[in-house]
Amino acid sequence: MEVETPLLASAGVTDPALEPIRVPCADGERFLQTSPEYAMKRLLAAGSGDIFQICKAFRAAEVGRRHNPEYTLLEWYRTGIDHYQLLREVAELLLTLLPHQRWQVWPYATLFEELLAINPFDAEVAVLETIAREQCGEVPPALSRDGWLDLLMSHCIEPAISTWGIVFVVDYPPSQASLARILPRGECCATAARFECYVDGVELANGYWEETDAVELKRRFDDDNARLTAAGQPARCLDPRFMAAMASGLPDCAGVALGLDRLLACQLGTRNLSGILAFDWHRS
Amino acid sequence: MANYSTSEFKSGLKVMLDGDPCSIVENEFVKPGKGQAFNRVKMRNLKTGRTWERTFKSGESLEGADVMDHAMEYLYTDGEFWYFMEPTTFEQHQADEAAVGDAKLWLTDQAPCEVTLYNGTPLAVTAPNFVELEIVETDPGLKGDTAQGGSKPATLVTGAVVRVPLFIAQGEVIRVDTRSGEYVSRGGKS
């Protein structure tokens, strides 16, 4: 079922890496959505069943060749399936839209082992930092473990897989689960039930087998706020309506958000969003 | 000076980094889906001319550098310093050899130059893209060789040496592209 949810919400997300655009309204501040995830999960909790929507999403300060602070998402949820089944659905959609004829799945850890010869799950932070300094020139002085992994991912792995066509990265570190379930992996360590889809090195879609446990979600939001306050930023309010919906019960489901501007850019063979937007951020 | 955050970095912006004035050459925003965003910035150190790549966490900021490009007229050199004048205020500035750099090969009286001032002192000098200079020394041209398109070295009045076609003679004025250091044509044409 196609749905439409508000772009302006009374609460934003807690993810420290997402900066919402704030809008003053007559009855207080509102937030332009960074994605329709919260609103769509409220519909799922209310019993909507499978839903999709195409909408605008907004992220302050994300401006670049492949980023426009105002952009278009296709987001959809399917009940009763996991992220691997959803991943297959994304792959089938892309094969109908792009000239590519194959797709491949790579575990996050295997990518790092193959391309950088390290295990991202148990490498010491100092080792990650050393590799970043060797491979990426001058880098920020102090990053968290996930910060170094993000730097290696964006500076080394993404350029390396830009000739690999459609690549799904799976089995993320649990610290990068966001709102995905965390699954035990063998005997030793857990992985996040999350995938990222890259096409020619461009990140196109991010999907989860959704975490449905309201207590676990609350714990992750509190972690986000602890990281925000540790970085000297104000904690963010949890969305009470979203939390109530999660407490009432999100059905077992998997969801994915796919950037339509980037998809169009891939179809047209350009890596620059300004080439497919009528007026990009600098001209809007 | 104002502070500039990574989202305000654009090519040509002058900022201070590790105590040196630098110019932003290129700024690319990267983010691995979820997670930490970075700006990969190509920078040029305006003192040393070194260009290199540095990654910032998005949202970091740098202090602006008091660096401005001024159109000036070259006056003369005393061997140690090169003197320039702002044509509207007649204010004079002296630039040392490091600031003048390769531009000294092309400077003649009253040449219009771009002088980059850092805290009021010349940091770099850019010669005009094209200059016309007299040849003070070159071997006589050999008639009949012109079809071959051969070339020979010629020393200009400023001391610069450029390759010129064989038919060009000593005492002639030639037009040179200062960016490549290459002969363009005989002088006097516009």
Side-chain angles (χ1 to χ4, degrees):
Chain A
M1 175 171 61
E2 182 170 8
V3 298
E4 186 179 78
T5 55
L7 297 181
L8 277 170
S10 55
V13 296
T14 52
D15 184 343
L18 291 180
E19 185 60 38
I21 294 175
R22 294 152 198 270
V23 181
C25 295
D27 57 353
E29 190 176 60
R30 297 224 162 200
F31 302 86
L32 279 169
Q33 67 177 3
T34 50
S35 88
E37 182 169 11
Y38 284 13
M40 292 181 79
K41 285 183 176 173
R42 282 168 65 190
L43 292 175
L44 286 155
S48 66
D50 296 358
I51 49 175
F52 77 95
Q53 78 171 313
I54 290 174
C55 62
K56 288 280 192 175
F58 303 84
R59 294 177 181 187
E62 295 195 9
V63 189
R65 281 189 306 139
R66 292 187 217 160
H67 292 82
N68 202 59
E70 171 181 349
Y71 67 107
T72 305
L73 273 181
L74 162 61
E75 182 150 332
W76 76 96
Y77 292 84
R78 284 207 187 275
T79 53
I81 69 170
D82 67 13
H83 58 302
Y84 281 107
Q85 289 166 281
L86 185 62
L87 177 160
R88 184 168 289 277
E89 190 167 271
V90 173
E92 282 163 9
L93 175 67
L94 293 180
L95 291 184
T96 66
L97 296 172
L98 296 172
H100 300 68
Q101 292 173 358
R102 282 189 309 274
W103 50 281
Q104 40 185 325
V105 177
W106 281 79
Y108 187 89
T110 314
L111 267 185
F112 276 74
E113 281 158 5
E114 194 76 18
L115 295 169
L116 296 170
I118 46 161
N119 182 328
F121 284 70
D122 56 25
E124 302 279 343
V125 173
V127 172
L128 299 176
E129 179 171 350
T130 303
I131 292 174
R133 290 192 193 287
E134 282 169 10
Q135 304 261 337
C136 314
E138 283 185 28
V139 294
L143 292 175
S144 66
R145 179 182 186 77
D146 282 318
W148 290 118
L149 290 175
D150 287 341
L151 188 135
L152 292 171
M153 189 75 189
S154 57
H155 287 53
C156 302
I157 308 264
E158 287 184 9
I161 65 174
S162 66
T163 55
W164 296 11
I166 301 175
V167 176
F168 289 89
V169 183
V170 297
D171 297 348
Y172 274 74
S175 54
Q176 298 181 22
S178 195
L179 303 190
R181 289 176 193 219
I182 293 173
L183 306 172
R185 186 181 75 160
E187 305 259 307
C188 58
C189 47
T191 58
R194 168 184 164 201
F195 68 82
E196 288 273 359
C197 173
Y198 287 88
V199 174
D200 304 332
V202 177
E203 189 250 342
L204 209 60
N206 175 45
Y208 305 142
W209 188 15
E210 304 290 348
E211 178 58 73
T212 56
D213 179 352
V215 176
E216 169 65 13
L217 287 171
K218 170 79 165 55
R219 193 190 61 74
R220 293 194 199 168
F221 295 144
D222 290 343
D223 274 359
D224 284 345
N225 271 330
R227 276 188 287 152
L228 280 167
T229 48
Q233 294 180 53
R236 297 180 189 167
C237 290
L238 306 190
D239 182 341
R241 293 186 181 85
F242 175 71
M243 297 310 291
M246 293 304 97
S248 78
L250 179 68
D252 188 9
C253 64
V256 62
L258 191 155
L260 289 187
D261 310 280
R262 287 186 187 172
L263 175 61
L264 183 57
C266 285
Q267 280 185 306
L268 296 176
T270 172
R271 305 176 76 74
N272 208 329
L273 288 188
S274 64
I276 60 104
L277 296 169
F279 304 109
D280 70 16
W281 189 249
H282 298 294
R283 300 172 65 221
S284 67
Chain B
M1 290 298 288
N3 276 315
Y4 297 95
S5 93
T6 51
S7 58
E8 296 170 286
F9 286 8
K10 56 172 190 271
S11 101
L13 182 72
K14 312 288 196 301
V15 291
M16 294 300 295
L17 185 63
D18 302 332
D20 277 353
C22 298
S23 174
I24 306 261
V25 181
E26 256 175 48
N27 173 26
E28 188 177 14
F29 177 86
V30 295
K31 188 175 181 186
K34 298 255 160 204
Q36 175 72 52
F38 299 98
N39 286 71
R40 299 188 80 170
V41 184
K42 195 189 268 186
M43 314 192 74
R44 190 169 71 246
N45 184 314
L46 294 173
K47 272 189 173 167
T48 65
R50 184 173 86 102
T51 300
W52 81 110
E53 206 167 75
R54 177 162 173 144
T55 295
F56 297 86
K57 286 205 284 187
S58 295
E60 281 191 280
S61 58
L62 291 176
E63 190 193 345
D66 180 15
V67 172
M68 286 284 286
D69 295 331
H70 296 259
M72 292 195 204
E73 213 169 74
Y74 170 65
L75 297 176
Y76 65 95
T77 176
D78 59 14
E80 187 180 2
F81 292 104
W82 282 255
Y83 295 86
F84 298 85
M85 182 180 71
E86 299 211 38
T88 48
T89 62
F90 304 111
E91 194 185 339
Q92 291 191 19
H93 298 269
Q94 61 175 43
D96 61 18
E97 186 156 15
V100 176
D102 286 346
K104 68 172 178 279
L105 295 175
W106 315 114
L107 295 177
T108 51
D109 293 356
Q110 293 168 8
C113 297
E114 195 174 77
V115 177
T116 306
L117 295 184
Y118 166 50
N119 291 336
T121 307
L123 182 68
V125 175
T126 311
N129 288 346
F130 297 98
V131 291
E132 296 200 352
L133 295 168
E134 187 190 336
I135 294 174
V136 294
E137 192 186 339
T138 190
D139 290 340
L142 299 169
K143 283 204 160 57
D145 275 356
T146 52
Q148 300 300 316
S151 70
K152 60 181 181 180
T155 306
L156 306 180
V157 65
T158 56
V161 177
V162 297
R163 309 279 316 172
V164 298
L166 297 178
F167 58 80
I168 298 288
Q170 194 163 310
E172 280 195 85
V173 171
I174 59 162
R175 188 172 169 82
V176 181
D177 186 330
T178 63
R179 294 160 296 185
S180 60
E182 283 172 4
Y183 166 88
V184 178
S185 65
R186 279 188 165 127
K189 302 171 192 166
S190 54

